Amino acid sequence: MCCWNIGIVGGGPGGLMTAYQLQKLASVPLRITLLEASGRLGGKILTPQFSTSPVRYEAGAAEFYDYSIFDEDPLKDLIAELGLPIRAMGGPAVVMDNQILANMDDIEAALGPTAAAALLDFDRRAKDQITPLEFYHSDYPEGLHLAPDPRRFDQLLTLVESDDARSYIQNLIHSDLATEPQQTTFTYGLQNYLMNSPAYMHLYGIEGGNQRLVEELAQRIDAEVLLNHPVESIEKQGSSQIRVHSRSGDQPRHDDFDFVVVSLPHNHLGKLAFRGARLQRAIERHLSYYHYPAHYLRITILFDKPFWREAFSDSYWMLDKFGGCCLYDESSREPGSSHGILGWLVGGTAAETMNALTDEELISAALDSLPTFLAHGRKHMVEGRVHRWLSAVNAIPGGIVPRPLDQRHQPEPIEHPQLYLVGDYLFDSTLNGVLDSAEYVAAWLAAQTTDRS
Ligand SMILES: Cc1cc2nc3c(=O)[nH]c(=O)nc-3n(C[C@H](O)[C@H](O)[C@H](O)COP(=O)(O)OP(=O)(O)OC[C@H]3O[C@@H](n4cnc5c(N)ncnc54)[C@H](O)[C@@H]3O)c2cc1C
């Protein structure tokens, strides 16, 4: 045999990482074809520019999670391997009732000693519940792990004995959760709270835009890349191949592969037809296990100057608006520039409801949400942009009980062992998670192709 034919469906970070890792690990020749529905690679890593000025902002994934303080950090290693410079990001102050709460003293002064004591108590209990090392290993049932706790996060919040302290916690984590406390688990809620502590995690971005990650990967993969080729259905072909039906404009097309990796987020995977009763049932079971859609809207506004800098110098802070909203100082990614960019990451129910608004209405709502001491800034607005990411992330990534890794990635191993899935929703709904997933499948496939050659 000349080489193994591998099909990868989806040209987001997951598909690109799979191709890249597979190329590195394979010891036999491979012919890789990557089918992407849209006209660009990169999926939810997107660093566009404004139309009035060639100024960049992050419209999708905002930051990378740095776990290198504990042990291996494959994503940070990959970014270094690609030669991309990174910049640390810092936060988060919380703005409540137009007051900036940047530390415990601010909290006590603004919310009172009872709220401050309740917050300290919550913080202690959260840290007792999940240690930094347990946090690091939490996606792997095979490793050091936490006992899954199916209780919903709102049950934990009701134990906080101060309404103000509870609001503070919700404002702090709502954007990261992208859902409401009653729609996620105890464990995921706690993890999203704890990741604000530097003992658990650090944040960074890529200088020149996060999109450089996918651009570098795209340049390095040796694959036939078919843009504007949405995949419509997948089925077994003969005894050992998988047929992928796609479309380019009006033209239907099919390709037969020895192995297929479907690297789509949960919301897109559900739109594909998987033919054959057994495969269809397996995919339905898989989808329902991870069916916890969560939502984002991103509203980004270019201003002629960063009018907030005297009040805030961090990369982001949290607002007590839209159920709790992260406000990124996008312009802090490129120090020295004279413009200012603010990016509102609206999550959860607020994102779902506000999706009914027009772009103009959303931009206006974002400006209205500025604290009173920054309200004068709206006169500095130059241009606003909206990006809608409904159902694009997961409220309980990994499912309520994390599954063994093989089971996550191979939906029907008996009659369709050539079909693999890659996704961030199988881990933690982040880029770290999708890389873990891509690496796992690439290693598995590399072993399969070697064994069978
Ligand atoms: C607003 C927002 C903020 C985020 N912030 C962060 C963050 O700060 N840090 C972090 O780590 N993660 C963040 N994430 C999550 C991160 O973006 C994802 O983990 C990552 O993009 C997942 O990669 P993926 O390839 O699985 O999916 P995607 O990025 O969604 O890529 C999927 C690709 O598949 C293509 N596709 C879809 N259907 C088909 C089809 N039928 N046929 C062929 N191709 C198809 C799509 O066009 C797309 O290119 C954020 C996500 C959002 C929405």
Side-chain angles (χ1 to χ4, degrees):
M1 173 182 251
C2 129
C3 45
W4 294 94
N5 265 322
I6 314 278
I8 297 179
V9 180
L16 292 166
M17 288 165 175
T18 305
Y20 181 73
Q21 297 295 340
L22 189 52
Q23 227 167 259
K24 275 184 18 184
L25 296 172
S27 53
V28 294
L30 304 177
R31 186 188 299 136
I32 301 177
T33 306
L34 190 148
L35 296 110
E36 163 57 40
S38 73
R40 70 173 274 277
L41 296 173
K44 295 189 289 272
I45 301 191
L46 177 63
T47 315
Q49 296 188 345
F50 288 96
S51 55
T52 46
S53 183
V55 182
R56 286 186 287 260
Y57 63 97
E58 298 303 339
E63 66 239 346
F64 298 86
Y65 298 158
D66 181 352
Y67 297 104
S68 60
I69 42 170
F70 300 113
D71 202 343
E72 285 177 12
D73 184 332
L75 184 56
K76 205 171 176 196
D77 291 347
L78 173 66
I79 289 169
E81 183 180 312
L82 298 174
L84 295 168
I86 61 173
R87 177 180 299 279
M89 293 173 65
V94 176
V95 178
M96 280 176 69
D97 289 333
N98 298 304
Q99 299 177 83
I100 303 171
L101 314 183
N103 52 45
M104 224 46 212
D105 290 342
D106 293 347
I107 291 171
E108 186 158 353
L111 306 181
T114 310
L119 261 180
L120 281 174
D121 181 55
F122 179 82
D123 191 70
R124 240 186 328 268
R125 277 191 287 132
K127 288 174 177 161
D128 284 348
Q129 192 84 20
I130 305 178
T131 66
L133 207 59
E134 285 168 335
F135 179 84
Y136 173 73
H137 286 287
S138 56
D139 279 331
Y140 288 88
E142 285 87 348
L144 177 65
H145 70 283
L146 299 165
D149 192 330
R151 282 176 295 170
R152 298 293 157 134
F153 187 55
D154 59 329
Q155 290 177 260
L156 184 62
L157 285 182
T158 54
L159 303 177
V160 177
E161 288 176 354
S162 150
D163 291 346
D164 283 338
R166 206 174 305 118
S167 300
Y168 176 92
I169 297 165
Q170 278 182 261
N171 289 323
L172 182 68
I173 67 172
H174 187 246
S175 270
D176 285 322
L177 280 179
T179 190
E180 306 310 315
Q182 67 278 13
Q183 286 161 355
T184 191
T185 57
F186 205 83
T187 307
Y188 191 56
L190 272 183
Q191 287 170 332
N192 276 274
Y193 171 78
L194 290 168
M195 66 192 221
N196 291 291
S197 159
Y200 285 75
M201 207 177 67
H202 295 225
L203 298 178
Y204 63 95
I206 293 179
E207 285 186 15
N210 293 341
Q211 191 171 284
R212 291 182 69 194
L213 170 62
V214 282
E215 288 167 356
E216 285 295 328
L217 287 171
Q219 273 181 27
R220 286 161 204 242
I221 59 171
D222 181 14
E224 183 186 10
V225 175
L226 301 174
L227 296 178
N228 300 307
H229 274 72
V231 169
E232 296 180 334
S233 63
I234 291 183
E235 63 188 328
K236 188 158 184 179
Q237 173 64 16
S239 61
S240 62
Q241 289 205 307
I242 299 283
R243 177 164 288 184
V244 172
H245 296 267
S246 61
R247 181 170 290 279
S248 172
D250 292 342
Q251 292 299 311
R253 165 188 175 122
H254 71 257
D255 297 273
D256 293 335
F257 297 107
D258 301 308
F259 296 96
V260 168
V261 180
V262 181
S263 181
L264 297 181
H266 184 275
N267 60 326
H268 286 294
L269 183 65
K271 293 179 192 154
L272 260 61
F274 287 86
R275 297 203 187 129
R278 193 179 173 95
L279 180 59
Q280 195 184 337
R281 268 199 312 277
I283 295 287
E284 278 166 11
R285 277 197 302 274
H286 176 90
L287 284 169
S288 72
Y289 198 81
Y290 297 102
H291 186 67
Y292 301 103
H295 318 283
Y296 278 134
L297 284 178
R298 257 193 184 285
I299 307 161
T300 311
I301 302 183
L302 173 68
F303 298 92
D304 60 20
K305 65 176 199 177
F307 59 87
W308 54 88
R309 284 278 168 76
E310 276 180 22
F312 299 102
S313 54
D314 278 344
S315 321
Y316 61 98
W317 66 92
M318 305 296 175
L319 285 183
D320 57 349
K321 299 288 161 49
F322 313 125
C325 170
C326 184
L327 189 49
Y328 288 93
D329 178 350
E330 286 289 323
S331 36
S332 69
R333 297 176 192 272
E334 296 191 28
S337 53
S338 58
H339 60 269
I341 307 171
L342 288 179
W344 283 253
L345 183 61
V346 180
T349 305
E352 209 177 356
T353 319
M354 290 168 68
N355 189 40
L357 302 181
T358 63
D359 286 4
E360 290 67 29
E361 287 167 333
L362 287 171
I363 290 162
S364 174
L367 290 169
D368 289 345
S369 76
L370 285 170
T372 47
F373 56 89
L374 294 180
H376 63 281
R378 61 189 308 148
K379 65 175 181 285
H380 294 288
M381 173 174 151
V382 178
E383 184 185 345
R385 290 285 193 92
V386 173
H387 297 265
R388 298 169 192 258
W389 301 106
L390 276 290
S391 301
V393 285
N394 205 287
I396 309 183
I400 290 178
V401 179
R403 286 179 152 172
L405 292 170
D406 283 10
Q407 197 185 358
R408 294 185 218 186
H409 291 100
Q410 206 175 42
E412 207 294 289
I414 309 298
E415 290 181 10
H416 301 81
Q418 313 87 343
L419 180 66
Y420 298 83
L421 303 177
V422 161
D424 63 353
Y425 64 93
L426 302 171
F427 288 80
D428 60 356
S429 218
T430 71
L431 293 159
N432 303 76
V434 81
L435 177 60
D436 287 348
S437 182
E439 284 191 336
Y440 190 77
V441 165
W444 196 352
L445 255 178
Q448 291 278 318
T449 48
T450 306
D451 289 351
R452 297 208 208 156
S453 293

